[in-house]
Amino acid sequence: MAMDLKLEGRTALVTGASRGIGRGSALALAAEGVKIAVGARRRELLEELADEIVAAGGERPAIIVTPDLAAPGGGAYRVKDAALEALGRIDILVNSAGRSQNPDYPSPMPYDAPDAAWDQEMQLNYVTIRQLTLSLVPAMIERKYGRIINISGKTEPRELHTASPAKAAVHGWSKGLSRQVAKHGVTVNSIPPGKIISEQILRNYSEQQRQETSKWISSGDFGDPSDIANLVVFLASPLARYITGAVIPVDAGFRRFAY
Ligand SMILES: NC(=O)c1ccc[n+]([C@@H]2O[C@H](COP(=O)([O-])OP(=O)(O)OC[C@H]3O[C@@H](n4cnc5c(N)ncnc54)[C@H](OP(=O)(O)O)[C@@H]3O)[C@@H](O)[C@H]2O)c1
């Protein structure tokens, strides 16, 4: 018998949905009957995504054009207000807006990069995620159902990147939060992706670099956003009620540690 994920009729907000893993997660949740709101800065890409979801038989998602979430300020609260206005309630939050490198700086990052470079990455990859999550958690606790799924990143960097401390912060903060909200039916988990073909990967890696990097991936190839989205959908489901505070890599063995 097919596994019923019991997601029909639930609601979700997916950030970073115009491209890559966020887009893949939005498609996968919509295919399970979840009513979704999708956020990003580029409206035209979100409209294309909405058309694709409708063409596949899903309900048209609400579109939220977000501000630059790397800028200091209350971008997260604007996204929350727009999502609640569109959906009424949010059961599932997928935090996928983010980046692994700042395109305005060389890679790896020079150790004496200015404060602004570190601050921007902390804002986008951690502060915004925390603010958006915490603004939705009280209502999740009240309804006894909530799923927070953070698309994070590896925390054993081989070189210096401004995003790395922010990814580590997400993992540390998620663990603490998960312990406070578990009794209320709210789970908090993080997925550090391996190498997944997305807009930033295509921007940061030449064809030759992709071939070189593939040698370090056990399966020998880069993944697809759907490889992450399959886990997102499961974590969003009531079936995943006993998984919380976890950091679950999806990387075909790219990460070298045994646990
Ligand atoms: N793909 C991988 O192999 C990989 C590996 C490790 C970690 N990750 C992490 O996974 C997450 C998703 O990455 P991805 O690979 O799917 O990237 P992607 O294809 O480049 O998509 C990034 C998404 O985030 C949004 N976004 C980026 N910067 C933003 C900003 N300043 N303000 C608002 N929205 C912003 C983009 O939308 P707009 O530009 O339209 O706003 C886009 O929808 C990131 O946190 C990344 O660090 C990915």
PDB file of all heavy atoms in Angstrom, residues 16-21 40-42 66-70 96-100 124-125 151-153 167 193-196 198-201, ligand 1:
ATOM      1  N   GLY A  16      12.816  31.287  -0.403  1.00  0.00           N
ATOM      2  CA  GLY A  16      13.820  30.903  -1.403  1.00  0.00           C
ATOM      3  C   GLY A  16      13.226  29.986  -2.459  1.00  0.00           C
ATOM      4  O   GLY A  16      13.896  29.087  -2.978  1.00  0.00           O
ATOM      5  N   ALA A  17      11.946  30.221  -2.798  1.00  0.00           N
ATOM      6  CA  ALA A  17      11.225  29.268  -3.654  1.00  0.00           C
ATOM      7  C   ALA A  17      11.378  29.559  -5.145  1.00  0.00           C
ATOM      8  O   ALA A  17      10.868  28.805  -5.971  1.00  0.00           O
ATOM      9  CB  ALA A  17       9.745  29.262  -3.270  1.00  0.00           C
ATOM     10  N   SER A  18      12.086  30.647  -5.501  1.00  0.00           N
ATOM     11  CA  SER A  18      12.200  30.954  -6.933  1.00  0.00           C
ATOM     12  C   SER A  18      13.193  30.038  -7.627  1.00  0.00           C
ATOM     13  O   SER A  18      13.153  29.881  -8.849  1.00  0.00           O
ATOM     14  CB  SER A  18      12.611  32.419  -7.134  1.00  0.00           C
ATOM     15  OG  SER A  18      13.870  32.665  -6.553  1.00  0.00           O
ATOM     16  N   ARG A  19      14.089  29.425  -6.862  1.00  0.00           N
ATOM     17  CA  ARG A  19      15.156  28.626  -7.458  1.00  0.00           C
ATOM     18  C   ARG A  19      15.523  27.450  -6.550  1.00  0.00           C
ATOM     19  O   ARG A  19      15.229  27.454  -5.349  1.00  0.00           O
ATOM     20  CB  ARG A  19      16.430  29.478  -7.633  1.00  0.00           C
ATOM     21  CG  ARG A  19      16.386  30.464  -8.765  1.00  0.00           C
ATOM     22  CD  ARG A  19      16.322  29.752 -10.087  1.00  0.00           C
ATOM     23  NE  ARG A  19      16.645  30.624 -11.199  1.00  0.00           N
ATOM     24  CZ  ARG A  19      16.147  30.467 -12.420  1.00  0.00           C
ATOM     25  NH1 ARG A  19      15.306  29.504 -12.678  1.00  0.00           N
ATOM     26  NH2 ARG A  19      16.499  31.274 -13.388  1.00  0.00           N
ATOM     27  N   GLY A  20      16.207  26.494  -7.113  1.00  0.00           N
ATOM     28  CA  GLY A  20      16.909  25.467  -6.360  1.00  0.00           C
ATOM     29  C   GLY A  20      16.055  24.663  -5.394  1.00  0.00           C
ATOM     30  O   GLY A  20      14.954  24.196  -5.725  1.00  0.00           O
ATOM     31  N   ILE A  21      16.572  24.493  -4.192  1.00  0.00           N
ATOM     32  CA  ILE A  21      15.973  23.582  -3.209  1.00  0.00           C
ATOM     33  C   ILE A  21      14.610  24.087  -2.730  1.00  0.00           C
ATOM     34  O   ILE A  21      13.688  23.297  -2.510  1.00  0.00           O
ATOM     35  CB  ILE A  21      16.951  23.393  -2.027  1.00  0.00           C
ATOM     36  CG1 ILE A  21      18.222  22.693  -2.537  1.00  0.00           C
ATOM     37  CG2 ILE A  21      16.313  22.612  -0.900  1.00  0.00           C
ATOM     38  CD1 ILE A  21      19.418  22.776  -1.597  1.00  0.00           C
ATOM     39  N   ALA A  40      10.255  34.895  -2.503  1.00  0.00           N
ATOM     40  CA  ALA A  40      11.573  35.204  -3.078  1.00  0.00           C
ATOM     41  C   ALA A  40      11.483  36.640  -3.605  1.00  0.00           C
ATOM     42  O   ALA A  40      10.398  37.244  -3.602  1.00  0.00           O
ATOM     43  CB  ALA A  40      11.950  34.245  -4.193  1.00  0.00           C
ATOM     44  N   ARG A  41      12.628  37.164  -4.092  1.00  0.00           N
ATOM     45  CA  ARG A  41      12.601  38.531  -4.609  1.00  0.00           C
ATOM     46  C   ARG A  41      12.085  38.602  -6.044  1.00  0.00           C
ATOM     47  O   ARG A  41      11.517  39.597  -6.445  1.00  0.00           O
ATOM     48  CB  ARG A  41      14.016  39.139  -4.546  1.00  0.00           C
ATOM     49  CG  ARG A  41      14.480  39.461  -3.144  1.00  0.00           C
ATOM     50  CD  ARG A  41      15.961  39.749  -3.112  1.00  0.00           C
ATOM     51  NE  ARG A  41      16.723  38.577  -3.536  1.00  0.00           N
ATOM     52  CZ  ARG A  41      18.045  38.533  -3.614  1.00  0.00           C
ATOM     53  NH1 ARG A  41      18.753  39.593  -3.312  1.00  0.00           N
ATOM     54  NH2 ARG A  41      18.653  37.432  -3.996  1.00  0.00           N
ATOM     55  N   ARG A  42      12.288  37.537  -6.830  1.00  0.00           N
ATOM     56  CA  ARG A  42      11.949  37.614  -8.253  1.00  0.00           C
ATOM     57  C   ARG A  42      10.551  37.069  -8.536  1.00  0.00           C
ATOM     58  O   ARG A  42      10.349  35.852  -8.600  1.00  0.00           O
ATOM     59  CB  ARG A  42      13.019  36.868  -9.066  1.00  0.00           C
ATOM     60  CG  ARG A  42      14.332  37.652  -9.120  1.00  0.00           C
ATOM     61  CD  ARG A  42      15.444  36.827  -9.668  1.00  0.00           C
ATOM     62  NE  ARG A  42      15.825  35.737  -8.776  1.00  0.00           N
ATOM     63  CZ  ARG A  42      16.748  34.832  -9.063  1.00  0.00           C
ATOM     64  NH1 ARG A  42      17.363  34.872 -10.226  1.00  0.00           N
ATOM     65  NH2 ARG A  42      17.050  33.886  -8.199  1.00  0.00           N
ATOM     66  N   THR A  66       9.572  39.098  -1.606  1.00  0.00           N
ATOM     67  CA  THR A  66      10.239  39.476  -0.362  1.00  0.00           C
ATOM     68  C   THR A  66      11.255  40.589  -0.607  1.00  0.00           C
ATOM     69  O   THR A  66      11.731  40.769  -1.727  1.00  0.00           O
ATOM     70  CB  THR A  66      10.999  38.269   0.252  1.00  0.00           C
ATOM     71  OG1 THR A  66      12.161  38.012  -0.530  1.00  0.00           O
ATOM     72  CG2 THR A  66      10.146  37.026   0.326  1.00  0.00           C
ATOM     73  N   PRO A  67      11.596  41.313   0.455  1.00  0.00           N
ATOM     74  CA  PRO A  67      12.742  42.231   0.355  1.00  0.00           C
ATOM     75  C   PRO A  67      14.031  41.419   0.355  1.00  0.00           C
ATOM     76  O   PRO A  67      13.994  40.183   0.460  1.00  0.00           O
ATOM     77  CB  PRO A  67      12.624  43.070   1.629  1.00  0.00           C
ATOM     78  CG  PRO A  67      11.854  42.245   2.582  1.00  0.00           C
ATOM     79  CD  PRO A  67      10.991  41.307   1.790  1.00  0.00           C
ATOM     80  N   ASP A  68      15.151  42.101   0.248  1.00  0.00           N
ATOM     81  CA  ASP A  68      16.463  41.463   0.378  1.00  0.00           C
ATOM     82  C   ASP A  68      16.612  41.008   1.828  1.00  0.00           C
ATOM     83  O   ASP A  68      16.736  41.838   2.736  1.00  0.00           O
ATOM     84  CB  ASP A  68      17.559  42.475   0.007  1.00  0.00           C
ATOM     85  CG  ASP A  68      18.957  41.894   0.182  1.00  0.00           C
ATOM     86  OD1 ASP A  68      19.076  40.728   0.624  1.00  0.00           O
ATOM     87  OD2 ASP A  68      19.933  42.613  -0.129  1.00  0.00           O
ATOM     88  N   LEU A  69      16.619  39.717   2.041  1.00  0.00           N
ATOM     89  CA  LEU A  69      16.638  39.198   3.407  1.00  0.00           C
ATOM     90  C   LEU A  69      18.052  39.195   4.007  1.00  0.00           C
ATOM     91  O   LEU A  69      18.227  38.812   5.163  1.00  0.00           O
ATOM     92  CB  LEU A  69      16.025  37.788   3.448  1.00  0.00           C
ATOM     93  CG  LEU A  69      14.545  37.743   3.038  1.00  0.00           C
ATOM     94  CD1 LEU A  69      14.042  36.303   2.970  1.00  0.00           C
ATOM     95  CD2 LEU A  69      13.662  38.556   3.997  1.00  0.00           C
ATOM     96  N   ALA A  70      19.043  39.650   3.229  1.00  0.00           N
ATOM     97  CA  ALA A  70      20.398  39.816   3.772  1.00  0.00           C
ATOM     98  C   ALA A  70      20.585  41.210   4.360  1.00  0.00           C
ATOM     99  O   ALA A  70      21.582  41.475   5.034  1.00  0.00           O
ATOM    100  CB  ALA A  70      21.437  39.557   2.685  1.00  0.00           C
ATOM    101  N   SER A  96      14.414  28.148   3.094  1.00  0.00           N
ATOM    102  CA  SER A  96      15.403  27.805   2.056  1.00  0.00           C
ATOM    103  C   SER A  96      16.041  29.034   1.408  1.00  0.00           C
ATOM    104  O   SER A  96      16.930  28.890   0.575  1.00  0.00           O
ATOM    105  CB  SER A  96      14.774  26.917   0.972  1.00  0.00           C
ATOM    106  OG  SER A  96      15.767  26.318   0.176  1.00  0.00           O
ATOM    107  N   ALA A  97      15.587  30.239   1.779  1.00  0.00           N
ATOM    108  CA  ALA A  97      16.267  31.444   1.253  1.00  0.00           C
ATOM    109  C   ALA A  97      17.653  31.493   1.882  1.00  0.00           C
ATOM    110  O   ALA A  97      17.793  31.437   3.102  1.00  0.00           O
ATOM    111  CB  ALA A  97      15.475  32.694   1.603  1.00  0.00           C
ATOM    112  N   GLY A  98      18.669  31.570   1.075  1.00  0.00           N
ATOM    113  CA  GLY A  98      20.016  31.614   1.623  1.00  0.00           C
ATOM    114  C   GLY A  98      21.042  31.423   0.541  1.00  0.00           C
ATOM    115  O   GLY A  98      20.714  31.315  -0.644  1.00  0.00           O
ATOM    116  N   ARG A  99      22.286  31.411   0.960  1.00  0.00           N
ATOM    117  CA  ARG A  99      23.369  31.160   0.007  1.00  0.00           C
ATOM    118  C   ARG A  99      24.590  30.674   0.783  1.00  0.00           C
ATOM    119  O   ARG A  99      24.730  30.947   1.978  1.00  0.00           O
ATOM    120  CB  ARG A  99      23.697  32.419  -0.803  1.00  0.00           C
ATOM    121  CG  ARG A  99      24.185  33.571   0.030  1.00  0.00           C
ATOM    122  CD  ARG A  99      24.282  34.855  -0.775  1.00  0.00           C
ATOM    123  NE  ARG A  99      24.718  35.951   0.079  1.00  0.00           N
ATOM    124  CZ  ARG A  99      24.477  37.232  -0.162  1.00  0.00           C
ATOM    125  NH1 ARG A  99      23.796  37.583  -1.231  1.00  0.00           N
ATOM    126  NH2 ARG A  99      24.913  38.169   0.652  1.00  0.00           N
ATOM    127  N   SER A 100      25.442  29.977   0.079  1.00  0.00           N
ATOM    128  CA  SER A 100      26.627  29.407   0.712  1.00  0.00           C
ATOM    129  C   SER A 100      27.835  30.330   0.560  1.00  0.00           C
ATOM    130  O   SER A 100      28.799  30.228   1.310  1.00  0.00           O
ATOM    131  CB  SER A 100      26.924  28.036   0.112  1.00  0.00           C
ATOM    132  OG  SER A 100      25.769  27.221   0.177  1.00  0.00           O
ATOM    133  N   LEU A 124      21.111  36.842   6.537  1.00  0.00           N
ATOM    134  CA  LEU A 124      20.360  36.013   5.592  1.00  0.00           C
ATOM    135  C   LEU A 124      20.237  34.571   6.061  1.00  0.00           C
ATOM    136  O   LEU A 124      19.143  33.989   6.034  1.00  0.00           O
ATOM    137  CB  LEU A 124      21.063  36.057   4.221  1.00  0.00           C
ATOM    138  CG  LEU A 124      20.467  35.168   3.126  1.00  0.00           C
ATOM    139  CD1 LEU A 124      19.040  35.593   2.785  1.00  0.00           C
ATOM    140  CD2 LEU A 124      21.337  35.207   1.866  1.00  0.00           C
ATOM    141  N   ASN A 125      21.354  33.987   6.489  1.00  0.00           N
ATOM    142  CA  ASN A 125      21.404  32.539   6.728  1.00  0.00           C
ATOM    143  C   ASN A 125      21.060  32.130   8.151  1.00  0.00           C
ATOM    144  O   ASN A 125      20.947  30.952   8.433  1.00  0.00           O
ATOM    145  CB  ASN A 125      22.798  32.000   6.377  1.00  0.00           C
ATOM    146  CG  ASN A 125      23.072  32.049   4.891  1.00  0.00           C
ATOM    147  OD1 ASN A 125      22.361  31.455   4.097  1.00  0.00           O
ATOM    148  ND2 ASN A 125      24.119  32.771   4.504  1.00  0.00           N
ATOM    149  N   ILE A 151      16.925  24.590   5.605  1.00  0.00           N
ATOM    150  CA  ILE A 151      17.930  24.121   4.660  1.00  0.00           C
ATOM    151  C   ILE A 151      19.212  24.859   5.041  1.00  0.00           C
ATOM    152  O   ILE A 151      19.318  26.081   4.859  1.00  0.00           O
ATOM    153  CB  ILE A 151      17.520  24.419   3.196  1.00  0.00           C
ATOM    154  CG1 ILE A 151      16.084  23.927   2.925  1.00  0.00           C
ATOM    155  CG2 ILE A 151      18.530  23.793   2.240  1.00  0.00           C
ATOM    156  CD1 ILE A 151      15.831  22.453   3.161  1.00  0.00           C
ATOM    157  N   SER A 152      20.154  24.129   5.601  1.00  0.00           N
ATOM    158  CA  SER A 152      21.312  24.789   6.214  1.00  0.00           C
ATOM    159  C   SER A 152      22.570  24.572   5.365  1.00  0.00           C
ATOM    160  O   SER A 152      22.614  25.007   4.213  1.00  0.00           O
ATOM    161  CB  SER A 152      21.489  24.278   7.650  1.00  0.00           C
ATOM    162  OG  SER A 152      21.568  22.864   7.672  1.00  0.00           O
ATOM    163  N   GLY A 153      23.553  23.940   5.877  1.00  0.00           N
ATOM    164  CA  GLY A 153      24.797  23.720   5.141  1.00  0.00           C
ATOM    165  C   GLY A 153      25.764  22.993   6.043  1.00  0.00           C
ATOM    166  O   GLY A 153      25.536  22.884   7.257  1.00  0.00           O
ATOM    167  N   LYS A 167      25.475  28.947   9.307  1.00  0.00           N
ATOM    168  CA  LYS A 167      24.911  27.591   9.192  1.00  0.00           C
ATOM    169  C   LYS A 167      25.050  26.865  10.534  1.00  0.00           C
ATOM    170  O   LYS A 167      24.144  26.169  10.984  1.00  0.00           O
ATOM    171  CB  LYS A 167      25.606  26.794   8.093  1.00  0.00           C
ATOM    172  CG  LYS A 167      25.612  27.457   6.714  1.00  0.00           C
ATOM    173  CD  LYS A 167      24.240  27.551   6.123  1.00  0.00           C
ATOM    174  CE  LYS A 167      24.291  28.084   4.691  1.00  0.00           C
ATOM    175  NZ  LYS A 167      22.959  28.303   4.129  1.00  0.00           N
ATOM    176  N   PRO A 193      22.504  20.290   2.814  1.00  0.00           N
ATOM    177  CA  PRO A 193      22.607  19.582   1.541  1.00  0.00           C
ATOM    178  C   PRO A 193      24.064  19.303   1.198  1.00  0.00           C
ATOM    179  O   PRO A 193      24.964  20.018   1.648  1.00  0.00           O
ATOM    180  CB  PRO A 193      22.020  20.575   0.519  1.00  0.00           C
ATOM    181  CG  PRO A 193      21.447  21.708   1.321  1.00  0.00           C
ATOM    182  CD  PRO A 193      22.139  21.703   2.635  1.00  0.00           C
ATOM    183  N   GLY A 194      24.270  18.284   0.393  1.00  0.00           N
ATOM    184  CA  GLY A 194      25.596  18.061  -0.171  1.00  0.00           C
ATOM    185  C   GLY A 194      25.771  18.996  -1.353  1.00  0.00           C
ATOM    186  O   GLY A 194      25.699  20.214  -1.204  1.00  0.00           O
ATOM    187  N   LYS A 195      25.977  18.451  -2.524  1.00  0.00           N
ATOM    188  CA  LYS A 195      26.109  19.273  -3.737  1.00  0.00           C
ATOM    189  C   LYS A 195      24.884  19.040  -4.606  1.00  0.00           C
ATOM    190  O   LYS A 195      24.718  17.969  -5.205  1.00  0.00           O
ATOM    191  CB  LYS A 195      27.388  18.893  -4.497  1.00  0.00           C
ATOM    192  CG  LYS A 195      28.652  19.203  -3.740  1.00  0.00           C
ATOM    193  CD  LYS A 195      28.874  20.706  -3.593  1.00  0.00           C
ATOM    194  CE  LYS A 195      29.987  21.036  -2.622  1.00  0.00           C
ATOM    195  NZ  LYS A 195      29.968  22.431  -2.180  1.00  0.00           N
ATOM    196  N   ILE A 196      24.026  20.036  -4.626  1.00  0.00           N
ATOM    197  CA  ILE A 196      22.735  19.930  -5.302  1.00  0.00           C
ATOM    198  C   ILE A 196      22.696  20.971  -6.422  1.00  0.00           C
ATOM    199  O   ILE A 196      22.946  22.160  -6.157  1.00  0.00           O
ATOM    200  CB  ILE A 196      21.585  20.214  -4.305  1.00  0.00           C
ATOM    201  CG1 ILE A 196      21.655  19.276  -3.084  1.00  0.00           C
ATOM    202  CG2 ILE A 196      20.224  20.152  -4.985  1.00  0.00           C
ATOM    203  CD1 ILE A 196      21.433  17.816  -3.352  1.00  0.00           C
ATOM    204  N   SER A 198      21.710  23.789  -8.383  1.00  0.00           N
ATOM    205  CA  SER A 198      20.802  24.899  -8.089  1.00  0.00           C
ATOM    206  C   SER A 198      21.412  26.133  -8.742  1.00  0.00           C
ATOM    207  O   SER A 198      22.492  26.068  -9.328  1.00  0.00           O
ATOM    208  CB  SER A 198      20.691  25.098  -6.573  1.00  0.00           C
ATOM    209  OG  SER A 198      21.916  25.596  -6.077  1.00  0.00           O
ATOM    210  N   GLU A 199      20.729  27.265  -8.586  1.00  0.00           N
ATOM    211  CA  GLU A 199      21.242  28.483  -9.233  1.00  0.00           C
ATOM    212  C   GLU A 199      22.630  28.854  -8.701  1.00  0.00           C
ATOM    213  O   GLU A 199      23.544  29.169  -9.458  1.00  0.00           O
ATOM    214  CB  GLU A 199      20.273  29.641  -9.008  1.00  0.00           C
ATOM    215  CG  GLU A 199      20.687  30.892  -9.748  1.00  0.00           C
ATOM    216  CD  GLU A 199      19.596  31.953  -9.725  1.00  0.00           C
ATOM    217  OE1 GLU A 199      19.232  32.418  -8.634  1.00  0.00           O
ATOM    218  OE2 GLU A 199      19.093  32.292 -10.799  1.00  0.00           O
ATOM    219  N   GLN A 200      22.789  28.806  -7.370  1.00  0.00           N
ATOM    220  CA  GLN A 200      24.088  29.222  -6.820  1.00  0.00           C
ATOM    221  C   GLN A 200      25.192  28.220  -7.179  1.00  0.00           C
ATOM    222  O   GLN A 200      26.336  28.614  -7.386  1.00  0.00           O
ATOM    223  CB  GLN A 200      24.003  29.448  -5.316  1.00  0.00           C
ATOM    224  CG  GLN A 200      23.593  28.236  -4.512  1.00  0.00           C
ATOM    225  CD  GLN A 200      24.076  28.278  -3.068  1.00  0.00           C
ATOM    226  OE1 GLN A 200      24.685  29.246  -2.626  1.00  0.00           O
ATOM    227  NE2 GLN A 200      23.823  27.210  -2.332  1.00  0.00           N
ATOM    228  N   ILE A 201      24.855  26.945  -7.273  1.00  0.00           N
ATOM    229  CA  ILE A 201      25.875  25.946  -7.639  1.00  0.00           C
ATOM    230  C   ILE A 201      26.309  26.191  -9.083  1.00  0.00           C
ATOM    231  O   ILE A 201      27.503  26.171  -9.405  1.00  0.00           O
ATOM    232  CB  ILE A 201      25.329  24.507  -7.444  1.00  0.00           C
ATOM    233  CG1 ILE A 201      25.233  24.177  -5.949  1.00  0.00           C
ATOM    234  CG2 ILE A 201      26.170  23.482  -8.195  1.00  0.00           C
ATOM    235  CD1 ILE A 201      26.562  23.936  -5.234  1.00  0.00           C
TER     236      ILE A 201
HETATM  237  N1  LIG B   1      22.706  23.593  -3.530  1.00  0.00           N
HETATM  238  C1  LIG B   1      23.628  23.118  -2.717  1.00  0.00           C
HETATM  239  O1  LIG B   1      24.438  22.256  -3.101  1.00  0.00           O
HETATM  240  C2  LIG B   1      23.715  23.638  -1.299  1.00  0.00           C
HETATM  241  C3  LIG B   1      24.770  23.163  -0.499  1.00  0.00           C
HETATM  242  C4  LIG B   1      24.866  23.608   0.811  1.00  0.00           C
HETATM  243  C5  LIG B   1      23.933  24.494   1.317  1.00  0.00           C
HETATM  244  N2  LIG B   1      22.923  24.937   0.513  1.00  0.00           N
HETATM  245  C6  LIG B   1      21.968  25.890   1.095  1.00  0.00           C
HETATM  246  O2  LIG B   1      20.652  25.628   0.670  1.00  0.00           O
HETATM  247  C7  LIG B   1      19.902  26.856   0.659  1.00  0.00           C
HETATM  248  C8  LIG B   1      19.219  26.975  -0.708  1.00  0.00           C
HETATM  249  O3  LIG B   1      20.230  27.082  -1.679  1.00  0.00           O
HETATM  250  P1  LIG B   1      20.056  26.672  -3.221  1.00  0.00           P
HETATM  251  O4  LIG B   1      21.291  25.941  -3.578  1.00  0.00           O
HETATM  252  O5  LIG B   1      18.727  26.104  -3.476  1.00  0.00           O
HETATM  253  O6  LIG B   1      20.213  28.143  -3.850  1.00  0.00           O
HETATM  254  P2  LIG B   1      19.610  28.878  -5.110  1.00  0.00           P
HETATM  255  O7  LIG B   1      19.186  27.943  -6.191  1.00  0.00           O
HETATM  256  O8  LIG B   1      20.620  29.920  -5.434  1.00  0.00           O
HETATM  257  O9  LIG B   1      18.282  29.551  -4.523  1.00  0.00           O
HETATM  258  C9  LIG B   1      18.368  30.480  -3.465  1.00  0.00           C
HETATM  259  C10 LIG B   1      16.989  31.010  -3.161  1.00  0.00           C
HETATM  260  O10 LIG B   1      17.092  31.934  -2.073  1.00  0.00           O
HETATM  261  C11 LIG B   1      16.592  33.221  -2.474  1.00  0.00           C
HETATM  262  N3  LIG B   1      17.491  34.240  -1.953  1.00  0.00           N
HETATM  263  C12 LIG B   1      18.850  34.280  -2.097  1.00  0.00           C
HETATM  264  N4  LIG B   1      19.348  35.401  -1.549  1.00  0.00           N
HETATM  265  C13 LIG B   1      18.289  36.093  -1.049  1.00  0.00           C
HETATM  266  C14 LIG B   1      18.164  37.340  -0.396  1.00  0.00           C
HETATM  267  N5  LIG B   1      19.243  38.104  -0.141  1.00  0.00           N
HETATM  268  N6  LIG B   1      16.939  37.756  -0.015  1.00  0.00           N
HETATM  269  C15 LIG B   1      15.848  37.011  -0.282  1.00  0.00           C
HETATM  270  N7  LIG B   1      15.898  35.803  -0.905  1.00  0.00           N
HETATM  271  C16 LIG B   1      17.109  35.362  -1.296  1.00  0.00           C
HETATM  272  C17 LIG B   1      16.617  33.204  -4.005  1.00  0.00           C
HETATM  273  O11 LIG B   1      15.523  33.967  -4.507  1.00  0.00           O
HETATM  274  P3  LIG B   1      15.623  35.412  -5.174  1.00  0.00           P
HETATM  275  O12 LIG B   1      17.028  35.572  -5.687  1.00  0.00           O
HETATM  276  O13 LIG B   1      14.574  35.387  -6.267  1.00  0.00           O
HETATM  277  O14 LIG B   1      15.279  36.328  -4.061  1.00  0.00           O
HETATM  278  C18 LIG B   1      16.381  31.731  -4.327  1.00  0.00           C
HETATM  279  O15 LIG B   1      15.018  31.436  -4.392  1.00  0.00           O
HETATM  280  C19 LIG B   1      20.925  27.977   0.936  1.00  0.00           C
HETATM  281  O16 LIG B   1      20.870  28.353   2.284  1.00  0.00           O
HETATM  282  C20 LIG B   1      22.262  27.315   0.646  1.00  0.00           C
HETATM  283  O17 LIG B   1      23.345  27.882   1.382  1.00  0.00           O
HETATM  284  C21 LIG B   1      22.803  24.538  -0.781  1.00  0.00           C
END
